Amino acid sequence: MEQTKRTDVNTLGEFGLIEHLTSQFDAKHATTLKGVGDDAAIIDIGNNQIMAISTDSLVEGIHFDLAYMPLKHLGYKSVVVNLSDIFAMNCVPKQITISIAISNRFSVEALDEFYEGIKKACDFYNIDLIGGDTTSSNKGFFINISAIGFGQKDKVAYRNGAKKGDLICASGDFGGAYLGLQILEREKQLYLSDSNIKPDLEEQTYLIGRQLKPEARKDIIEQLDQVNLVPTSMIDVSDGLASELFHICKESSVGAFIEEKAINIQIEAQMMALKFKLDPVTCALSGGEDYELLFTIAPSDIEKIKLFPDVAIIGEVVDKKDGIKLHTTGGNIHPIRAQGWVHFEP
Ligand code: ADP
Ligand code: MG
């Protein structure tokens, strides 16, 4: 009997798999300005206006754990992670659709709570909920949200526009959401071993908040508009600073030189990393779920970026042949790996 070929999806990795599945789809319409390969697709709607569309799924047990994720927060976060992809194109999100698959484990009251979070995010970010789909699942909760945004054709920030000499900028701080997750996981394990143990979350509101209630950087997009600054490239940080840096460098065919001391890591994150015996910089580079914006600007825009209260210049775009490197506080230069960087002195 002839053996059919079976390739494990893990052999390609997430991004390899997406490339494999989509490489044979070319754009048939001139209005498709950007298809697969950025934070959102970009559609030309005429008069220098574009529409940005992105979609993201959240799966119980993979992206969230209802043991410590309150449903209201889950609703809020599900919206935020989608809006973040629209902001990452330098666009303004206006509408979302939401589809859910639920098992009979969920009550109307539980879903009300989830939608309370959705409503809160829609109100805060000025978004209309315009549709979706409701279906059942055997077990587990599945959420898919699509977001629609608008922007100007000549102001869209793709992943592929970074040029040698550009400054690499990052909003906010890194590693917090990952460390918040470590605390929640630790407390869950303790609770499972002894349900009399009360969770010890009191002093870690910042880190836990970064994990349970992230915000998308709407303010940065507004500030960019105010000073009339268009990033040469931009991406949102969902998978970790290192991974997003690799996407920008790959799409733009450039390298990057990052200053370790310029990466903003809050003191709470630094202390907690040490408590978990983790390297704070590795947490910042590989942690993920910070939902900050990583972008590049022309060097001539340096004075403008200095006006931003919560943006740091963390490095410079270099030649592709010079790779993606980190200049450590100790004065060493190490290559950054896609999955982040581990403090390892040979
Ligand atoms: P992000 O992390 O910004 O949400 P992803 O890594 O999920 O982006 O996706 C990268 C790109 O690949 C996007 O353009 C997305 O629309 C596209 N993509 C992801 N999965 C698929 C798929 N199964 N089929 C077609 N396109 C996909
Ligand atoms: Mg993204």
Side-chain angles (χ1 to χ4, degrees):
M1 204 171 80
E2 200 183 314
Q3 205 70 66
T4 42
K5 190 174 168 215
R6 186 189 184 282
T7 312
D8 197 298
V9 289
N10 287 321
T11 53
L12 297 176
E14 181 190 343
F15 303 119
L17 180 64
I18 296 172
E19 230 171 273
H20 172 84
L21 296 175
T22 59
S23 59
Q24 55 197 320
F25 292 84
D26 294 325
K28 297 181 184 70
H29 302 285
T31 47
T32 307
L33 299 180
K34 185 83 197 180
V36 176
D38 217 303
D39 293 296
I42 301 292
I43 315 292
D44 196 339
I45 53 171
N47 291 327
N48 193 35
Q49 301 297 304
I50 57 88
M51 186 159 83
I53 303 173
S54 76
T55 190
D56 251 314
S57 301
L58 287 95
V59 178
E60 185 177 359
I62 307 283
H63 300 99
F64 60 90
D65 186 333
L66 291 173
Y68 47 70
M69 185 68 161
L71 281 161
K72 189 172 167 184
H73 286 68
L74 180 61
Y76 193 89
K77 183 171 175 174
S78 305
V79 176
V80 163
V81 303
N82 276 274
L83 303 184
S84 181
D85 277 323
I86 301 292
F87 290 126
M89 305 306 293
N90 201 22
C91 294
V92 178
K94 300 229 164 129
Q95 287 93 6
I96 56 163
T97 63
I98 164 157
S99 302
I100 51 173
I102 43 169
S103 69
N104 56 13
R105 202 173 108 229
F106 290 87
S107 64
V108 174
E109 288 74 17
L111 293 172
D112 280 346
E113 210 185 300
F114 176 69
Y115 268 75
E116 241 182 78
I118 302 265
K119 173 87 168 54
K120 205 162 172 224
C122 285
D123 290 345
F124 184 72
Y125 289 97
N126 196 26
I127 303 293
D128 294 335
L129 169 64
I130 57 163
D133 190 32
T134 305
T135 180
S136 51
S137 80
N138 286 336
K139 74 181 181 66
F141 189 17
F142 175 90
I143 306 155
N144 176 266
I145 295 189
S146 294
I148 300 164
F150 296 86
Q152 278 181 42
K153 191 174 174 178
D154 54 3
K155 290 191 172 176
V156 176
Y158 296 99
R159 292 178 179 178
N160 65 8
K163 302 267 179 312
K164 183 184 168 182
D166 283 356
L167 304 171
I168 303 173
C169 306
S171 69
D173 60 277
F174 294 88
Y178 175 75
L179 286 156
L181 181 64
Q182 301 313 302
I183 298 169
L184 292 165
E185 281 288 345
R186 180 192 66 195
E187 296 306 316
K188 181 188 168 189
Q189 294 312 322
L190 284 174
Y191 180 80
L192 290 176
S193 66
D194 179 357
S195 59
N196 291 318
I197 297 180
K198 282 237 160 61
D200 175 22
L201 308 174
E202 309 304 306
E203 286 164 19
Q204 296 305 334
T205 47
Y206 180 72
L207 298 176
I208 289 167
R210 289 290 279 170
Q211 171 60 222
L212 296 185
K213 194 175 176 288
E215 299 290 358
R217 297 309 300 256
K218 176 182 195 240
D219 56 331
I220 302 289
I221 300 311
E222 288 168 352
Q223 287 160 16
L224 286 169
D225 188 46
Q226 274 164 22
V227 300
N228 202 19
L229 170 52
V230 181
T232 52
S233 72
M234 183 148 63
I235 189 166
D236 72 321
V237 181
S238 50
D239 295 338
L241 202 47
S243 168
E244 315 303 356
L245 195 59
F246 266 75
H247 284 308
I248 284 191
C249 288
K250 181 169 179 256
E251 295 297 320
S252 302
S253 294
V254 293
F257 193 76
I258 302 291
E259 286 293 342
E260 180 184 295
K261 67 171 186 301
I263 299 173
N264 187 4
I265 306 173
Q266 291 291 95
I267 187 78
E268 289 93 336
Q270 299 197 25
M271 305 283 283
M272 194 50 65
L274 298 177
K275 226 169 160 178
F276 279 107
K277 298 197 168 41
L278 296 167
D279 173 37
V281 180
T282 306
C283 292
L285 286 175
S286 321
E289 294 201 282
D290 300 302
Y291 297 104
E292 295 295 344
L293 292 171
L294 175 69
F295 57 99
T296 57
I297 60 166
S300 54
D301 283 325
I302 188 163
E303 293 308 320
K304 286 183 181 173
I305 208 70
K306 282 184 182 164
L307 301 171
F308 287 57
D310 199 23
V311 170
I313 299 172
I314 62 163
E316 197 183 319
V317 178
V318 297
D319 250 340
K320 186 177 182 170
K321 68 169 169 41
D322 294 324
I324 304 174
K325 301 213 169 105
L326 183 75
H327 184 209
T328 69
T329 345
N332 294 317
I333 294 171
H334 289 287
I336 299 178
R337 295 202 309 250
Q339 292 315 315
W341 180 78
V342 186
H343 265 287
F344 176 71
E345 306 290 336

